[in-house]
């Protein structure tokens, strides 16, 4: 079956690093994603990683993938107040990989 | 491009009423889907479509119908609303085959069933 789990809440001080963790169960997922949802808005793709990669860096974002443990993490360096949002981990499923299974979301609160 | 648009933004229904949530995209994407978002549960897939005339069920399809007569539109119908369908509904689209299958989400419809 497919199940994606995340912690519910993370509080961090402005300027510190944030690390959001996620575990997933479907080892056949081609891509894993991090989506960001700001209050009252839809989801926006933040970053993604192909399943044969261990790490991906994109400016302040670092994604780490441990396929053996089915563990995905997102590190945000120099966290800003604009990073306060809900972050969703998702894995791709389905024949063409378009179907997404989402985690419950981690609410990140950045304190000044 | 307007991207993915959804109407209405807010809706209140009484139990047993029917309504249609509208979704449209102008990016010529083949794949469209409907999710519902409930607190602490992330987004759950209701129905999806891989192209005009083709639809299929997702994880939580009961109580919802869809159709896909055009590439652009993918309406979601509630035939007889129930309080358990109180949720925020998101429509999304993506090219059927792309390098990483980014999904583009609409702004959502917040539905309350009394």
């Amino acid at each position: 079956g497919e199940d994606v789990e995340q912690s519910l809440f993370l509080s961090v001080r402005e300027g510190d690093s944030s690390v959001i963790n996620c575990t997933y169960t479907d080892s056949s997922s081609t891509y894993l994603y991090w989506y960001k949802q700001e209050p009252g808005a839809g989801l926006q793709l933040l970053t993604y990683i192909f399943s044969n990669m261990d790490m991906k860096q994109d400016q302040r974002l670092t994604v780490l993938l441990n396929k053996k443990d089915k563990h995905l993490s997102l590190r945000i360096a120099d966290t800003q107040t604009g990073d306060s949002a809900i972050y969703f981990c998702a894995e791709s499923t389905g024949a063409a990989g378009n179907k997404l299974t989402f985690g419950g979301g981690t609410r990140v609160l950045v304190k000044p | 491009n307007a991207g993915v648009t959804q109407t209405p933004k807010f809706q209140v229904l009484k139990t047993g009423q029917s309504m249609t949530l509208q979704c449209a995209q102008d990016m010529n994407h083949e794949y469209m889907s409907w999710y519902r978002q409930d607190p602490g549960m992330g987004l759950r897939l209701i129905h999806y479509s891989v192209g005009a005339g083709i639809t299929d069920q997702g994880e939580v399809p009961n109580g919802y119908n869809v159709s896909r007569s055009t590439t652009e539109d993918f309406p979601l119908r509630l035939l007889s609303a129930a309080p358990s369908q109180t949720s925020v509904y998101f429509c999304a689209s993506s090219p059927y085959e792309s390098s990483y299958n980014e999904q583009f989400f609409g702004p959502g419809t917040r539905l309350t069933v009394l």
Side-chain angles (χ1 to χ4, degrees), chain A residues 16-77:
Chain A
D16 289 349
S17 293
S18 311
V19 178
I20 309 168
N21 294 302
C22 168
T23 58
Y24 62 97
T25 57
D26 189 346
S27 57
S28 65
S29 294
T30 309
Y31 289 98
L32 294 127
Y33 307 87
W34 285 102
Y35 279 83
K36 178 182 180 182
Q37 184 182 32
E38 297 186 358
L43 278 69
Q44 278 192 300
L45 181 65
L46 201 57
T47 188
Y48 66 95
I49 188 167
F50 189 48
S51 58
N52 70 352
M53 297 170 64
D54 297 325
M55 185 182 88
K56 179 180 179 183
Q57 186 137 9
D58 184 2
Q59 299 182 333
R60 292 191 297 122
L61 306 177
T62 303
V63 179
L64 296 178
L65 176 60
N66 181 330
K67 285 198 73 174
K68 175 176 169 287
D69 295 337
K70 297 191 181 69
H71 183 266
L72 183 74
S73 68
L74 173 69
R75 179 177 180 269
I76 306 173

Side-chain angles (χ1 to χ4, degrees), chain B residues 3-90:
Chain B
V4 180
T5 57
Q6 291 184 238
T7 56
K9 283 192 172 182
F10 302 94
Q11 182 70 50
V12 179
L13 292 177
K14 293 182 179 177
T15 297
Q17 286 186 312
S18 63
M19 82 157 295
T20 300
L21 279 63
Q22 301 292 343
C23 173
Q25 52 91 10
D26 60 0
M27 297 173 282
N28 203 32
H29 287 167
E30 298 92 343
Y31 184 88
M32 296 186 74
S33 54
W34 276 102
Y35 293 87
R36 60 177 288 172
Q37 182 181 26
D38 300 297
M41 299 187 72
L43 277 74
R44 292 181 291 168
L45 183 64
I46 304 171
H47 285 286
Y48 65 98
S49 168
V50 299
I54 307 169
T55 64
D56 207 345
Q57 295 181 349
E59 182 187 352
V60 288
N62 292 342
Y64 308 95
N65 279 352
V66 292
S67 59
R68 184 93 180 270
S69 55
T70 67
T71 300
E72 294 78 20
D73 301 297
F74 191 44
L76 178 73
R77 279 183 288 277
L78 284 71
L79 299 176
S80 178
S84 60
Q85 293 178 304
T86 293
S87 188
V88 182
Y89 291 85
F90 289 101

